[in-house]
Amino acid sequence: MEHIPAPAAHQRQGRMMVSGDMWAQLGSGIAGIMFMYAMFQQYFPRQLTGFIGFYTNKLVAFVYPYLTISFDEYSGDRFKRNDVYSAIESYLTFNSTMSAKRLKADIDKNSKNFVLSMDDNEEVTDEFNGVKLWWSSNNRSTPTQSFPFYYAPSASERRFYKLTFHRRHRDLITRSYLNHVLDHGKAVRLQNRQRKLFTNNPSSNWYGYKSTVWNHVVFEHPATFDTLAMDPVKKQDIIDDLLTFSKGKDYYKKIGKAWKRGYLLYGPPGTGKSTMIAAMANLLDYDVYDVELTAVKNNTELRKLLIETSSKSIIVIEDIDCSLDLTGQRKKKKEEGDDDEKDRLPKPLKEEAREKDSKVTLSGLLNFIDGLWSACGGERLIVFTTNHVEKLDPALIRKGRMDKHIQLSYCSYEAFKILAKNYLNLDSHRLFGTIGRLLEETNMTPADVAECLMPKTIGVDADTTCLENLINALETAKEEARLKAEEEEEEAKKKDEASAKEKDEASAKEKEESSIKEENGIVVQEKEKEKETNEKKQD
């Protein structure tokens, strides 16, 4: 054991006692200050407290040499996420990896690498033209609003970034640095943008901690216009229309129209309407918002959904003729039947049924597509799909709302060749001529053709087997169509015969009734003559 001289030991013990006394005095001083502050808050008038706090802050600001700028995620009464906040988030994601101590991890757009970003309540430093700055990610609690529709997704917290810098660099920061952050952040955001497929949440889940009106997954649909089975000329026309729209920002502004365009996709089931939407999204690099109308309670919620969509997106309502009754003309009998059915339910179930009924109207949907709110944001496509275009209200699909109508019909020979190339890697085959002839004589959807071309086994002659399967399917469909046509013709013939028989029976009955009336008239006349004769004899 090391021997410590007595004087040195006494000196060390004395220093420890002095240090302990110092910390004890510091603790007592802090406790006293906190006690005085608590008494000050409790017994001083609130107006005086605010007055003193105001001038205290001014005094501190006079002495403190640093300035701060806050950037809220949702500023003021805006309904959408602040674009400046998003740009700063992307900028800091790019610049914070090496300096931040706490990071959040996510997957990049190719789902191959991790993307690291600054975690909440974390601070990083940045440097611009030799000037040092500090960025911090913060959140503040706010009271719950009375009208949650006008509130951001989180009802309890508001997130914001805070920039701190020395006051002598104010001009450099406000005139150059902030523009640098915005430009760089937008470029990073565009480069790392991961396309998403959104679906709307029920409105009961819109409010609360970090709740949103949309849920999303990564959009990874592989469909492109190269693999889309349709007429090449028609396909190229659609591609040109989409590319012209995507580059038309200045043109739409010049003509005074919102930067949006409506597409109506219609045709039998299995003709590729959903695949067309995926090809549009992949061509333009747009997000997809799939709106489930039956989950939207009223027009206000529909408007809220539109507000929360981003630019460079496709808003889709599939099978719109089946989603809601949008003709604007409900049958009275149907209404009465529905009301009678609801009246038979117990009161709690009746109220629940009424709450579940969607009150989205045709007028609300038209405003969603083409009203004032549709101009919020820009660069959007609105796509409706339907199997029965004749059921839709003409006002819903007129030009100006649904600008381009695209009919997706049965598989043609040109579409078949694209499918053969996709599924079998064939440009030509001895059976192509037979298939082309049968496709002209038979209606078969591209989905059915593709199923026949899908190899079911691995073999040397799999291509020929698939083509023969398609020929058999086409011949079967042709025979079924012929039999169905004969049945329909026979039924029509029977209906005509039944109708003619009914007419003959009605004519015979009418003749019989007229004959009876005529006989009754003669009898009445004879009785009247006999009566007159008897009266004369009595006279």
Side-chain angles (χ1 to χ4, degrees):
M1 181 180 296
E2 182 182 358
H3 177 70
I4 301 176
H10 287 300
Q11 290 177 3
R12 181 176 298 179
Q13 185 177 5
R15 285 197 299 269
M16 291 175 63
M17 292 178 63
V18 171
S19 177
D21 292 341
M22 182 183 66
W23 284 111
Q25 292 175 2
L26 180 61
S28 299
I30 293 175
I33 293 172
M34 292 178 65
F35 175 77
M36 292 177 62
Y37 182 70
M39 298 296 292
F40 173 79
Q41 284 189 318
Q42 184 172 357
Y43 292 104
F44 273 70
R46 184 171 298 177
Q47 294 82 353
L48 181 60
T49 304
F51 179 80
I52 293 175
F54 173 76
Y55 281 98
T56 301
N57 290 334
K58 288 193 67 173
L59 179 62
V60 172
F62 182 76
V63 178
Y64 188 66
Y66 292 94
L67 301 178
T68 61
I69 303 176
S70 296
F71 304 88
D72 286 333
E73 184 179 15
Y74 292 86
S75 59
D77 58 353
R78 295 183 64 178
F79 305 150
K80 289 182 59 180
R81 197 180 196 223
N82 197 337
D83 292 336
V84 175
Y85 181 92
S86 300
I88 293 172
E89 184 178 46
S90 300
Y91 176 81
L92 293 178
T93 296
F94 182 77
N95 290 280
S96 63
T97 305
M98 300 303 296
S99 57
K101 296 180 180 179
R102 293 185 297 112
L103 299 168
K104 293 186 294 186
D106 201 354
I107 300 293
D108 67 0
K109 65 179 182 179
N110 296 318
S111 300
K112 294 180 179 179
N113 302 312
F114 281 103
V115 176
L116 301 177
S117 60
M118 185 170 64
D119 200 359
D120 294 338
N121 300 313
E122 179 65 11
E123 184 178 86
V124 295
T125 58
D126 193 18
E127 188 172 334
F128 180 73
N129 290 348
V131 176
K132 192 173 184 180
L133 313 98
W134 294 266
W135 284 100
S136 62
S137 173
N138 307 276
N139 56 62
R140 65 168 68 96
S141 299
T142 57
T144 304
Q145 302 294 315
S146 301
F147 301 96
F149 167 70
Y150 296 103
Y151 195 64
S154 173
S156 58
E157 287 189 347
R158 297 291 287 264
R159 297 190 299 173
F160 65 97
Y161 286 112
K162 185 170 69 173
L163 172 64
T164 304
F165 55 92
H166 200 283
R167 65 176 63 185
R168 64 172 173 265
H169 303 304
R170 178 196 289 263
D171 289 342
L172 176 68
I173 301 304
T174 56
R175 294 181 182 179
S176 301
Y177 177 70
L178 291 181
N179 290 331
H180 162 74
V181 170
L182 291 180
D183 294 341
H184 194 74
K186 289 178 179 178
V188 171
R189 187 180 179 188
L190 185 62
Q191 180 181 356
N192 296 329
R193 179 171 173 263
Q194 188 177 49
R195 289 187 299 119
K196 299 172 183 177
L197 172 62
F198 294 85
T199 184
N200 50 302
N201 280 325
S203 57
S204 57
N205 299 333
W206 285 5
Y207 313 108
Y209 181 68
K210 292 186 178 180
S211 298
T212 59
V213 301
W214 296 98
N215 275 332
H216 70 266
V217 295
V218 177
F219 183 77
E220 296 178 326
H221 200 292
T224 64
F225 277 97
D226 291 334
T227 61
L228 196 62
M230 65 182 303
D231 181 74
V233 176
K234 189 174 182 180
K235 184 192 300 187
Q236 189 60 47
D237 176 65
I238 297 171
I239 293 173
D240 293 341
D241 189 83
L242 289 168
L243 294 177
T244 301
F245 167 79
S246 66
K247 300 173 183 177
K249 180 179 181 180
D250 295 335
Y251 177 76
Y252 276 83
K253 184 177 181 180
K254 174 186 174 184
I255 63 177
K257 286 188 64 176
W259 192 11
K260 64 177 184 58
R261 189 162 176 80
Y263 287 80
L264 176 67
L265 309 182
Y266 65 97
T271 52
K273 295 183 284 295
S274 298
T275 306
M276 169 70 77
I277 295 170
M280 288 178 171
N282 286 326
L283 175 69
L284 299 178
D285 199 25
Y286 282 6
D287 293 327
V288 178
Y289 289 84
D290 185 13
V291 182
E292 178 54 55
L293 275 183
T294 55
V296 183
K297 288 185 177 179
N298 50 48
N299 296 335
T300 301
E301 290 187 2
L302 186 63
R303 192 178 302 124
K304 172 69 172 175
L305 289 173
L306 176 64
I307 293 168
E308 291 292 339
T309 60
S310 63
S311 299
K312 293 184 176 294
S313 61
I314 303 177
I315 301 172
V316 180
I317 302 179
E318 293 198 88
D319 296 322
I320 190 170
D321 55 298
C322 302
S323 299
L324 294 172
D325 184 358
L326 298 171
T327 62
Q329 299 173 350
R330 293 181 179 269
K331 294 182 179 179
K332 185 176 180 181
K333 183 177 179 181
K334 180 180 177 182
E335 286 184 344
E336 292 174 352
D338 292 344
D339 291 339
D340 292 342
E341 185 178 351
K342 287 182 181 179
D343 289 339
R344 289 194 295 268
L345 294 173
K347 188 175 180 179
L349 295 179
K350 189 191 302 183
E351 292 177 356
E352 183 179 354
R354 286 175 180 170
E355 287 179 359
K356 288 183 178 179
D357 286 344
S358 177
K359 294 182 175 62
V360 175
T361 63
L362 177 62
S363 174
L365 189 61
L366 295 182
N367 288 327
F368 174 85
I369 302 168
D370 198 31
L372 294 174
W373 290 90
S374 66
C376 298
E379 198 171 355
R380 289 193 185 99
L381 299 179
I382 300 175
V383 180
F384 291 167
T385 71
T386 179
N387 297 333
H388 306 283
V389 68
E390 69 279 358
K391 292 183 179 180
L392 299 179
D393 193 296
L396 183 66
I397 59 176
R398 70 163 175 80
K399 294 301 176 66
R401 291 191 174 116
M402 292 294 102
D403 303 283
K404 192 170 184 63
H405 295 190
I406 302 174
Q407 182 179 13
L408 298 174
S409 189
Y410 296 104
C411 189
S412 64
Y413 180 62
E414 294 297 329
F416 157 74
K417 289 197 294 184
I418 295 174
L419 291 174
K421 180 66 176 178
N422 294 339
Y423 284 81
L424 304 175
N425 200 27
L426 291 177
D427 293 317
S428 62
H429 194 276
R430 58 183 176 80
L431 297 177
F432 274 21
T434 304
I435 293 173
R437 176 179 56 80
L438 289 172
L439 285 173
E440 292 178 356
E441 301 171 352
T442 311
N443 290 333
M444 180 174 283
T445 65
D448 291 332
V449 173
E451 180 59 27
C452 293
L453 296 179
M454 180 79 71
K456 306 299 189 297
T457 58
I458 300 175
V460 179
D461 206 20
D463 298 344
T464 302
T465 302
C466 291
L467 295 177
E468 289 175 349
N469 290 339
L470 176 58
I471 291 174
N472 293 333
L474 287 169
E475 290 176 344
T476 301
K478 181 180 178 181
E479 182 64 19
E480 290 176 353
R482 185 185 66 79
L483 294 175
K484 185 178 180 181
E486 289 179 356
E487 289 177 1
E488 291 177 352
E489 185 178 352
E490 187 66 25
E491 288 179 2
K493 186 177 180 180
K494 288 180 180 179
K495 287 182 180 179
D496 292 340
E497 291 177 354
S499 178
K501 186 177 180 181
E502 288 177 0
K503 288 182 180 180
D504 293 340
E505 290 177 353
S507 177
K509 187 176 181 181
E510 185 178 352
K511 288 180 180 180
E512 184 179 353
E513 290 176 352
S514 62
S515 176
I516 293 172
K517 288 180 181 179
E518 187 175 347
E519 290 178 0
N520 291 337
I522 294 172
V523 172
V524 170
Q525 289 178 2
E526 289 179 352
K527 286 183 178 180
E528 288 179 353
K529 288 180 179 181
E530 185 178 353
K531 185 179 179 181
E532 290 177 0
T533 304
N534 291 335
E535 288 177 354
K536 288 180 180 180
K537 286 180 180 182
Q538 290 177 0
D539 293 340

